[in-house]
Amino acid sequence: MYPSDIHAVLVWWFVLFLFGVGFLPLTFALFSPFFDKGYIFSKLIGVLLVGYIVFVLGAFRIAPFSVPVIIVVALVLTGGLYFFLPERWRVVYTLKKSWLTFAIEELTFLVILFIWAYVHSFAPDIHGLEKFMDYGFVNAFLRTEYLPPVDIWFPPATINYYYFGHLLTAMLTKLSNLPSAITFNLMLSTIVAFCFTETFSLGANLYAKIGKSGKISNLKLILSGILTAFLVTFAGNLHVLYALFKPYNTDNPVPMWQLPFQPNSFPNGYWYPNATRFIYHTIHEFPIYSWVVADLHGHVLDIPFVLLAISLLFSLLTHHTEQSREEREKIKKTFQINPYHLGFIGFVLSCMYMTNAWDGAIYWLLAMMVLLVIHWQKLPSYEKLFSNGESLQVSNKKKANETHAFTQWKWPWLRDLGISVAIVSVGLFIFNTPYNLFFNASAIVKGIGILCAPSFLTHIGHVGPFLFEPNHCQRSYWWELLTLYGFFYFFVVAFSTFILRSKEHSQTDTFVLLLMILSTFLIIVPEFFYLKDIYPEHYRANTMFKLVFQAFIVLSISSGYVIVRLTSSMENRGLAKRLLKGVFLVLTTMLVYFVMSYPFLAVRAYYNDFKNYQGLNGINYLRTLYPEDYVGIQWLNTNVRGQQVIVEAQSDSYTDFERISANTGLPTILGWTVHEWLWRGSYDVPAPRIIEVKTIYETHDAQTANQILKKYDVRYVYVGTLEYQKYPNLQEAKFNQLGKIVFQHGSTRIYKLN
């Protein structure tokens, strides 16, 4: 790596490290049941808390989004934790006791960060797919004084999308004092590092909690962590098996057994994106694909928060596995679960909602499942404590006996369950409030569609939020689902069989079963329902995408644990049992080999076999592709402050148009049409601006152009290669009447209006 890139990685890591140190007391308190005390989550918790408070201060215009404000908030929070949190005294003791574990996790985080920064340096371009949108969001946050920023593609409105992850990226960019063209790639690398280390911690702690007593093998604990980390972070699906067969028509996938088997020609021209577009008109991505294509999108930014939420819920569940007699006696007097822990879960869920709204809903559901299990397991304690260990006899009548039983212990149980649910749910709602003041979800989602609705319902059209649209009957074939999720369900079936035959179950077993139930639900839902958006043919694509992305993560976590759990539990006595264990290990090895081969195919393809090292600067490609624009963008970034409105050529989504607004964070009259159509809820909202931008460039009449420019408070007009390409009849002379040239390089000019 270039020395400058190494320096950038180290500076970026050090900022995150400081966050981690500052929030150790809170982390150790939240993850007290974990053998590593959740060390690796500390830096993420710090970034979340500081970022959220800075967002609230900016949203209510109490304080600007600036480095001094960020530092003050961080210091106040850190000081409060170290001076007022009851668990603060444990920090030094825990550091002395577990310093080696912490050092290994921190070193692993840094190594993964370096590795993926190095990988990105072979294709760092912030160019293609939705990178313009993501980069534009980050740059808009860097320019704005208060939050949220003006939408770079629809001023004067603010962003109507999930932007909290981009806010955190901008906050870290400000603190590190690195260019956003570099931190864009560093944030992508950081998410990979978080994903690997968080899942290692979670996977190892899942295995550490399999028994109530007895010594846990450190080797198996580490193996569980490593397996979980690799499966979640780097595994693909069984679609990779198609690399052994003759390529199929990607518009018409067929079962692999209908194709000629060609192992000698591996990988048979295998194209890695097909594993995410296998089911007709849908999207079913997974983390390694996201690492490869490198969009800094909401579903990617939210992965560390997702893993934090899952880990917090597991910590909550295991904290209540065994309680002392004194703790059980408290049921009579106080609410049993720590309300601060529940409130923090609600806070994390709200941050997930602001980063990728679907995830907030998905893991709220998991939280409800965990709370129900916790309280269900406490039913005997309530009955025993409130009946003093005696049978409840109030009369000879059964009804009176049942009424007394409900009054004595079932009502307190229901009360405490309701309080737990309320704390998480109300916390989620309250913490979301500042964000929801600026976000209109109804513009994006138009209702809940029912797939394959009966014809008599399609004539009705809709009932409440439910839509019955004709010709909306896409379903997945069983062999498609088997290809995408067969790897996981081998372990789901094996584990379910083990649980049914086992006499004792650990809390980890219970938690993993909950994960399997949740993931199965997420896979099934898109076969029957979809959330209505603007896409006519791909109407269930977003629904499937957001749900099964999380199903993949959750099933990967489950599978890592199941492999080690079942291998450890299988007895070696008897020929039949040894044979069963051997078959399981052989099949597991083959399956893991197949899914772990995906990253080798995908990474090498996208990064061109690592032949051209380019560094971490994501906008250097402009020097070659649009050299004049590169200089113009640099000038704007150096000389224009705040979010002053510019005008540049406008065109469709996923094109190179809007390269100026995306690379500067300066808002333009209208950006990518389909994106604004989605965010604003109707094509009629952005459509008039298409004509207005065209008129600005092509009209001869300076007064007509000036009226439109003043309507949107435009300060700068950009005229370059793409403007002349988009508007062949461009009339540039009028801009000299309306302002003056403040930048010129070759045929590119920037006019500042009077």
Side-chain angles (χ1 to χ4, degrees):
M1 296 179 71
Y2 296 144
S4 59
D5 290 338
I6 294 174
H7 174 263
V9 173
L10 290 174
V11 169
W12 183 264
W13 165 80
F14 187 66
V15 171
L16 290 168
F17 177 76
L18 291 179
F19 272 107
V21 172
F23 289 83
L24 285 176
L26 178 58
T27 304
F28 289 172
L30 292 168
F31 291 96
S32 57
F34 280 28
F35 74 87
D36 62 353
K37 305 305 175 188
Y39 171 82
I40 204 62
F41 297 96
S42 183
K43 48 176 61 69
L44 185 61
I45 289 172
V47 170
L48 273 181
L49 283 169
V50 173
Y52 179 80
I53 292 177
V54 168
F55 170 68
V56 172
L57 293 175
F60 290 104
R61 295 185 171 264
I62 298 171
F65 181 45
S66 64
V67 172
V69 171
I70 298 169
I71 292 175
V72 168
V73 169
L75 291 176
V76 169
L77 287 177
T78 301
L81 291 175
Y82 275 94
F83 286 101
F84 298 109
L85 195 70
E87 288 81 1
R88 68 188 183 280
W89 61 270
R90 296 180 183 175
V91 173
V92 175
Y93 170 78
T94 306
L95 287 172
K96 287 182 178 180
K97 180 181 178 182
S98 305
W99 68 269
L100 182 59
T101 300
F102 299 160
I104 291 173
E105 290 189 349
E106 191 66 58
L107 181 60
T108 302
F109 180 88
L110 181 59
V111 168
I112 299 296
L113 177 62
F114 261 113
I115 289 174
W116 275 91
Y118 180 72
V119 169
H120 281 300
S121 65
F122 286 89
D125 301 351
I126 308 173
H127 183 227
L129 298 177
E130 292 189 294
K131 293 181 179 62
F132 270 12
M133 184 207 84
D134 296 318
Y135 189 46
F137 279 7
V138 173
N139 285 324
F141 275 105
L142 291 173
R143 282 188 169 274
T144 190
E145 182 177 10
Y146 293 101
L147 303 171
V150 171
D151 186 345
I152 58 168
W153 291 339
F154 202 78
T158 56
I159 301 171
N160 195 51
Y161 201 57
Y162 318 124
Y163 53 70
F164 189 66
H166 302 92
L167 163 64
L168 299 182
T169 305
M171 182 182 76
L172 293 172
T173 299
K174 283 177 174 285
L175 291 174
S176 65
N177 198 32
L178 295 169
S180 60
I182 291 177
T183 63
F184 184 92
N185 286 310
L186 286 178
M187 191 64 178
L188 288 164
S189 305
T190 301
I191 295 169
V192 181
F194 267 130
C195 184
F196 189 90
T197 50
E198 285 181 275
T199 47
F200 172 82
S201 174
L202 177 57
N205 278 287
L206 284 172
Y207 189 78
K209 301 296 180 182
I210 62 170
K212 296 181 180 179
S213 61
K215 186 176 180 180
I216 300 297
S217 167
N218 287 333
L219 178 60
K220 292 177 181 177
L221 183 148
I222 294 172
L223 180 60
S224 180
I226 291 175
L227 260 176
T228 305
F230 271 93
L231 288 178
V232 176
T233 313
F234 300 123
N237 54 38
L238 290 179
H239 183 274
V240 73
L241 289 172
Y242 276 87
L244 299 171
F245 296 82
K246 183 179 179 179
Y248 62 87
N249 180 355
T250 55
D251 293 328
N252 185 30
V254 296
M256 60 185 71
W257 55 81
Q258 294 183 8
L259 299 170
F261 185 54
Q262 298 179 341
N264 295 331
S265 303
F266 178 87
N268 288 314
Y270 182 78
W271 186 229
Y272 69 92
N274 291 342
T276 69
R277 305 295 191 276
F278 189 53
I279 299 175
Y280 179 72
H281 277 181
T282 67
I283 305 171
H284 35 80
E285 296 182 7
F286 39 86
I288 180 59
Y289 178 81
S290 299
W291 312 150
V292 171
V293 299
D295 274 1
L296 195 61
H297 218 46
H299 69 282
V300 177
L301 285 159
D302 204 38
I303 290 175
F305 311 150
V306 163
L307 298 172
L308 172 62
I310 296 172
S311 301
L312 281 169
L313 290 170
F314 180 61
S315 175
L316 182 68
L317 180 63
T318 54
H319 181 73
H320 294 274
T321 301
E322 291 188 15
Q323 292 176 307
S324 66
R325 181 177 179 181
E326 292 76 13
E327 288 177 318
R328 289 196 298 269
E329 288 293 333
K330 291 180 181 179
I331 300 175
K332 290 184 176 181
K333 301 177 181 179
T334 62
F335 176 62
Q336 197 176 7
I337 302 179
N338 187 333
Y340 298 109
H341 196 150
L342 294 174
F344 191 78
I345 290 173
F347 166 73
V348 173
L349 292 175
S350 73
C351 291
M352 293 164 63
Y353 171 81
M354 295 186 292
T355 306
N356 191 41
W358 294 76
D359 298 347
I362 291 169
Y363 291 98
W364 174 86
L365 179 59
L366 179 61
M368 297 303 102
M369 295 165 67
V370 169
L371 289 175
L372 182 59
V373 167
I374 290 174
H375 286 278
W376 183 264
Q377 291 175 347
K378 293 181 181 299
L379 264 174
S381 298
Y382 279 82
E383 183 175 9
K384 181 179 179 181
L385 288 168
F386 282 94
S387 63
N388 296 317
E390 300 174 357
S391 61
L392 299 169
Q393 301 290 341
V394 295
S395 70
N396 293 327
K397 294 183 178 180
K398 183 179 179 180
K399 183 176 180 180
N401 194 31
E402 291 176 348
T403 302
H404 186 65
F406 182 86
T407 304
Q408 288 292 91
W409 63 272
K410 290 185 180 178
W411 170 248
W413 180 82
L414 288 172
R415 175 204 64 200
D416 287 355
L417 173 61
I419 292 174
S420 298
V421 169
I423 291 175
V424 174
S425 304
V426 173
L428 168 61
F429 175 79
I430 291 175
F431 288 118
N432 272 337
T433 300
Y435 172 79
N436 283 329
L437 293 175
F438 305 95
F439 177 63
N440 179 16
S442 62
I444 299 176
V445 178
K446 301 298 184 182
I448 302 172
I450 309 297
L451 287 168
C452 304
S455 58
F456 74 92
L457 288 176
T458 59
H459 292 299
I460 297 174
H462 68 88
V463 176
F466 297 100
L467 306 175
F468 310 103
E469 300 183 284
N471 303 317
H472 280 56
C473 193
Q474 295 176 6
R475 288 273 172 81
S476 307
Y477 294 107
W478 67 268
W479 50 268
E480 293 174 320
L481 296 174
L482 181 64
T483 300
L484 299 181
Y485 310 112
F487 170 82
F488 301 116
Y489 279 90
F490 171 76
F491 299 109
V492 170
V493 172
F495 187 64
S496 300
T497 304
F498 167 77
I499 291 297
L500 290 173
R501 298 180 55 136
S502 178
K503 296 180 181 179
E504 294 186 1
H505 309 142
S506 68
Q507 283 291 64
T508 305
D509 294 336
T510 302
F511 187 73
V512 169
L513 282 173
L514 293 180
L515 295 182
M516 291 176 173
I517 292 169
L518 174 67
S519 56
T520 302
F521 173 76
L522 297 177
I523 293 170
I524 291 175
V525 166
E527 302 302 319
F528 298 93
F529 305 95
Y530 61 93
L531 290 192
K532 174 71 173 177
D533 52 31
I534 67 170
Y535 302 108
E537 295 183 354
H538 299 74
Y539 45 84
R540 71 173 182 143
N542 265 329
T543 302
M544 180 175 286
F545 173 28
K546 297 300 175 66
L547 295 186
V548 302
F549 192 90
Q550 298 308 315
F552 188 99
I553 292 174
V554 171
L555 285 170
S556 297
I557 293 170
S558 305
S559 299
Y561 168 75
V562 169
I563 291 171
V564 181
R565 176 75 162 109
L566 296 192
T567 304
S568 303
S569 302
M570 290 180 179
E571 298 180 6
N572 290 317
R573 291 174 295 178
L575 178 61
K577 292 180 178 178
R578 287 200 299 270
L579 181 61
L580 178 63
K581 184 174 183 178
V583 170
F584 177 78
L585 287 174
V586 169
L587 290 175
T588 296
T589 301
M590 292 175 59
L591 289 170
V592 171
Y593 172 80
F594 286 134
V595 298
M596 289 306 303
S597 64
Y598 181 86
F600 293 97
L601 297 172
V603 174
R604 291 183 62 185
Y606 190 88
Y607 294 93
N608 194 27
D609 287 326
F610 303 105
K611 294 178 181 177
N612 183 23
Y613 181 85
Q614 301 173 55
L616 287 174
N617 192 316
I619 64 170
N620 271 342
Y621 76 94
L622 288 169
R623 293 176 183 267
T624 303
L625 190 60
Y626 302 113
E628 294 180 5
D629 287 339
Y630 177 81
V631 179
I633 288 167
Q634 298 291 66
W635 185 89
L636 288 168
N637 282 330
T638 301
N639 294 280
V640 180
R641 296 289 176 263
Q643 282 197 281
Q644 300 186 55
V645 181
I646 64 170
V647 62
E648 62 176 320
Q650 187 279 331
S651 193
D652 295 330
S653 296
Y654 308 104
T655 65
D656 284 357
F657 294 92
E658 279 63 65
R659 81 281 190 202
I660 307 302
S661 52
N663 284 283
T664 63
L666 294 169
T668 189
I669 293 177
L670 180 64
W672 285 356
T673 309
V674 174
H675 281 68
E676 286 299 338
W677 177 7
L678 173 65
W679 301 339
R680 305 299 160 186
S682 171
Y683 179 77
D684 293 337
V685 177
R689 298 193 181 199
I690 299 174
I691 303 301
E692 289 178 316
V693 174
K694 178 181 174 67
T695 301
I696 288 172
Y697 280 106
E698 292 193 339
T699 183
H700 291 270
D701 186 4
Q703 185 177 356
T704 299
N706 193 42
Q707 287 177 347
I708 302 173
L709 292 168
K710 286 186 176 297
K711 175 181 177 181
Y712 296 106
D713 195 25
V714 174
R715 299 299 300 148
Y716 294 90
V717 176
Y718 193 94
V719 180
T721 304
L722 291 188
E723 280 66 38
Y724 273 100
Q725 176 184 319
K726 178 68 177 181
Y727 308 112
N729 298 319
L730 194 152
Q731 307 297 321
E732 190 176 345
K734 62 180 175 293
F735 296 130
N736 284 310
Q737 303 175 39
L738 301 175
K740 62 179 180 180
I741 296 176
V742 291
F743 170 84
Q744 182 168 358
H745 184 76
S747 60
T748 296
R749 285 166 291 279
I750 300 175
Y751 293 85
K752 184 175 182 180
L753 302 180
N754 297 326

